[in-house]
Amino acid sequence: MKLKQWFSGILSALFMWSAASVMSLSALAVSAQAADEPEVVVYSSRKEHLIKPVFDAFTKETGIKVSYLTGKDNALIERVKAEGRATPADVLMTVDAGNLWYAASQDLFQPIQTQQVAKAIPAHLRDPQGLWTGLSIRARTIVYSTERVKPDELSSYEALAEPQWKGRLCLRTAKKVYTKSLVSALLAHNGQDKTEQMVKGWVSNLASAPMAKDSHIMDAILAGQCDVGLVNTYYFGRLQEKQPDVALKLFWANQNSTGTHVNVSGAGVLKHAKHPELANKLLSWLVSEQAQGLFASLNKEYPANPEVPADPLVAKWGRFKQDDLNLQKVGALQADAVRLMQRMGYR
Ligand code: FE
């Protein structure tokens, strides 16, 4: 009897132990599942309101969560460098080929593995080694006063150096990566002497000191301070959205020569990514026809995937010939462009 009691006591203890261990195992399984829930981490210099809707759509479609940190392009690049192997980031998303090229030159990226990117995005908008890809296109072209300039007076970036534009030109500072990229592209096409002459002419035609923002250039034209300027197309798009009848128009530069200078916002998979397969999934989704329209139209840019139509407001500006110089080259020539602008007094 005693033995029987002892035995049943042992049995119930065993039962309770095993029930408890089953419970704790299943609890562990649940928490392990939560920790393993797929998540990709993005550092982005593209602002939150431009990326969140796109990431939300990606999560809805794939179940993969995206967490992100936004900041200035240089600060994010320096952060990735400083974090080294410990970085939590899988993807760096930034604007301008100059920044993408710089991040690649600092050995921050690994080659993109997904075939979708090369299929969807034209070669001139991607790094030849596959280290980064453009995701949207912005043209940097001429903006002019419809009250004081006739479009047949305009032709090219180079022609803005001619004396007829004396005191009528507004430009952004030479410090801005957009300016560096444009001058790099022109340097690649025209060589040093011609580019020096052009920059010298621009400087002598300036109506005021170079400006800190593209929007200031358009404000200055509207205020009658100057008649022509150079801007990224999406700044014009934002203005036009607010003021459909604004007395400004875009002119597609260099249609009879090299094509209008285009640049990109883009991204690459980081060398020390903890989730490279998810990072590649995100990039292949971002270049898809489904995502490209949303990604570009949020910022009034052009989809980088040529199969995808532009936002209606953007499409109204008409078709134009793009400069198809590889943007890697634009990045690589930036240091030369900076020195050239310094020599010619462009600040
Ligand atoms: Fe910008």
Side-chain angles (χ1 to χ4, degrees):
M1 190 67 179
K2 256 191 166 174
L3 188 71
K4 212 175 171 184
Q5 267 180 350
W6 176 82
F7 190 60
S8 74
I10 289 286
L11 263 185
S12 69
L14 261 176
F15 175 74
M16 279 173 67
W17 175 82
S18 63
S21 63
V22 166
M23 263 177 64
S24 67
L25 268 179
S26 60
L28 198 74
V30 168
S31 66
Q33 198 177 27
D36 283 354
E37 213 169 90
E39 184 176 79
V40 59
V41 181
V42 179
Y43 282 2
S44 170
S45 75
R46 205 167 163 87
K47 295 200 177 82
E48 181 172 20
H49 68 280
L50 301 180
I51 52 173
K52 191 174 183 300
V54 185
F55 292 160
D56 287 348
F58 173 71
T59 303
K60 201 173 164 198
E61 173 89 12
T62 62
I64 302 167
K65 287 197 172 152
V66 183
S67 65
Y68 53 86
L69 173 79
T70 60
K72 294 259 181 222
D73 35 39
N74 290 339
L76 289 176
I77 290 172
E78 292 314 313
R79 183 174 178 139
V80 173
K81 274 168 77 173
E83 288 172 341
R85 288 178 185 278
T87 188
D90 299 305
V91 171
L92 176 69
M93 188 178 268
T94 184
V95 295
D96 204 285
N99 290 324
L100 291 160
W101 176 87
Y102 177 69
S105 77
Q106 300 302 297
D107 198 21
L108 300 187
F109 291 134
Q110 58 175 292
I112 293 168
Q113 297 298 333
T114 171
Q115 301 297 308
Q116 300 309 115
V117 168
K119 272 187 211 155
I121 307 297
H124 68 286
L125 306 175
R126 290 184 277 117
D127 176 62
Q129 314 296 318
L131 294 171
W132 49 263
T133 181
L135 295 172
S136 59
I137 298 174
R138 60 277 296 280
R140 191 162 188 80
T141 197
I142 299 170
V143 63
Y144 66 95
S145 161
T146 53
E147 287 161 355
R148 298 183 301 279
V149 178
K150 292 199 169 59
D152 61 12
E153 296 174 84
L154 297 164
S155 59
S156 65
Y157 304 106
E158 293 89 338
L160 293 179
E162 287 167 10
Q164 73 171 108
W165 300 107
K166 189 109 192 152
R168 301 173 70 193
L169 177 65
C170 277
L171 293 176
R172 188 148 176 174
T173 63
K175 270 185 284 191
K176 183 67 189 177
V177 69
Y178 305 157
T179 306
K180 296 178 193 174
S181 288
L182 172 64
V183 173
S184 296
L186 294 168
L187 183 58
H189 288 304
N190 297 337
Q192 184 155 303
D193 291 351
K194 276 191 184 169
T195 309
E196 278 185 357
Q197 286 314 303
M198 177 195 73
V199 170
K200 196 176 168 185
W202 283 358
V203 171
S204 75
N205 287 343
L206 285 174
S208 77
M211 299 184 167
K213 293 186 167 196
D214 282 14
S215 56
H216 296 175
I217 294 171
M218 293 186 292
D219 291 345
I221 298 173
L222 289 171
Q225 205 181 338
C226 42
D227 297 337
V228 288
L230 295 173
V231 290
N232 280 2
T233 43
Y234 55 92
Y235 292 105
F236 179 72
R238 289 177 196 170
L239 179 64
Q240 208 181 29
E241 202 171 33
K242 280 186 265 170
Q243 296 180 54
D245 301 325
V246 70
L248 296 175
K249 258 189 172 170
L250 292 174
F251 180 89
W252 299 121
N254 293 42
Q255 293 301 286
N256 297 323
S257 56
T258 53
T260 301
H261 170 66
V262 293
N263 212 307
V264 290
S265 81
V269 178
L270 289 165
K271 191 176 180 182
H272 298 302
K274 304 298 178 292
H275 313 99
E277 61 304 320
L278 299 184
N280 278 286
K281 259 191 195 158
L282 176 62
L283 289 190
S284 65
W285 188 80
L286 286 171
V287 300
S288 70
E289 292 189 27
Q290 185 187 358
Q292 277 279 294
L294 177 62
F295 188 86
S297 66
L298 282 166
N299 194 32
K300 300 284 172 252
E301 289 177 277
Y302 294 88
N305 180 337
E307 301 299 317
V308 179
D311 182 273
L313 180 139
V314 173
K316 271 195 211 150
W317 305 334
R319 297 181 66 81
F320 65 98
K321 181 172 86 171
Q322 286 178 33
D323 185 352
D324 63 1
L325 177 73
N326 191 291
L327 288 178
Q328 191 272 343
K329 184 91 178 158
V330 166
L333 281 171
Q334 290 219 336
D336 291 338
V338 167
R339 281 190 292 269
L340 186 151
M341 289 190 282
Q342 277 169 352
R343 282 199 301 278
M344 296 301 116
Y346 185 2
R347 301 283 179 245

